[in-house]
Amino acid sequence: MSETKSYRKPYNPPVEATWWAKNPFFFRYMLREATAVLGLFVGLEIMLGVFLFSLTDFNDPVITAGSAAPYLWWVQDFLGNPLIILLNLASLVAVLFHAVTWFALMPKAVRVFMNKTTTELLPESFVVMALYGALGAVTVIVLLAALITAP
């Protein structure tokens, strides 16, 4: 390593706090990244529901409101709160926005070749349509499972 000391001062341009709001590309990028906060909320909400469901006592011959009290609180009081309902609706919109932007980005981020012998890539529209098809198939499977298990 050199012992020579540099007296040059690096140029650090001033950066405003709203630098991202001036360019539509960066605005959409920051908006997409902000959807992670609502995604985190949904994940924590589901984890809380699973934890409270695990506290339910299934060893009783008859499950009463007392044995399922934590889970019933989560379903009735927590999920029934108007603020939580609004947050869940905002989370749904945010997660759908995140999915649409991720599906548009996927063909640029992942290179899918036609086969092993060529360097020709799959068309971007094919990759995007495959992602939307997978999303639709998973949605139908989840809805059918919910309808089948509903009382």
Side-chain angles (χ1 to χ4, degrees):
M1 196 152 124
S2 174
E3 297 293 327
T4 307
K5 186 172 181 181
S6 174
Y7 292 100
R8 291 179 54 200
K9 293 182 181 176
Y11 174 67
N12 295 322
V15 179
E16 297 176 11
T18 58
W19 61 268
W20 52 271
K22 293 180 173 75
N23 186 334
F25 175 80
F26 292 127
F27 181 78
R28 285 190 306 271
Y29 172 78
M30 295 300 282
L31 185 63
R32 182 178 180 279
E33 293 300 313
T35 60
V37 175
L38 290 171
L40 174 68
F41 169 74
V42 170
L44 292 174
E45 180 181 42
I46 291 171
M47 285 174 44
L48 175 67
V50 169
F51 174 72
L52 293 176
F53 184 74
S54 71
L55 294 179
T56 302
D57 187 16
F58 290 109
N59 293 328
D60 290 342
V62 177
I63 297 177
T64 63
S67 64
Y71 184 70
L72 291 176
W73 170 84
W74 182 72
V75 171
Q76 293 174 350
D77 295 337
F78 183 75
L79 293 180
N81 187 335
L83 179 64
I84 299 300
I85 292 172
L86 287 176
L87 275 172
N88 282 331
L89 289 174
S91 298
L92 176 65
V93 171
V95 169
L96 288 175
F97 174 74
H98 190 85
V100 167
T101 57
W102 179 252
F103 290 171
L105 175 71
M106 183 63 93
K108 297 167 184 63
V110 177
R111 297 170 45 116
V112 181
F113 295 103
M114 293 287 259
N115 57 36
K116 293 180 184 179
T117 59
T118 66
T119 59
E120 188 177 348
L121 297 173
L122 281 176
E124 288 186 10
S125 60
F126 181 78
V127 175
V128 171
M129 288 301 151
L131 290 169
Y132 279 114
L135 176 66
V138 169
T139 302
V140 167
I141 290 169
V142 168
L143 289 175
L144 285 176
L147 288 173
I148 290 170
T149 59

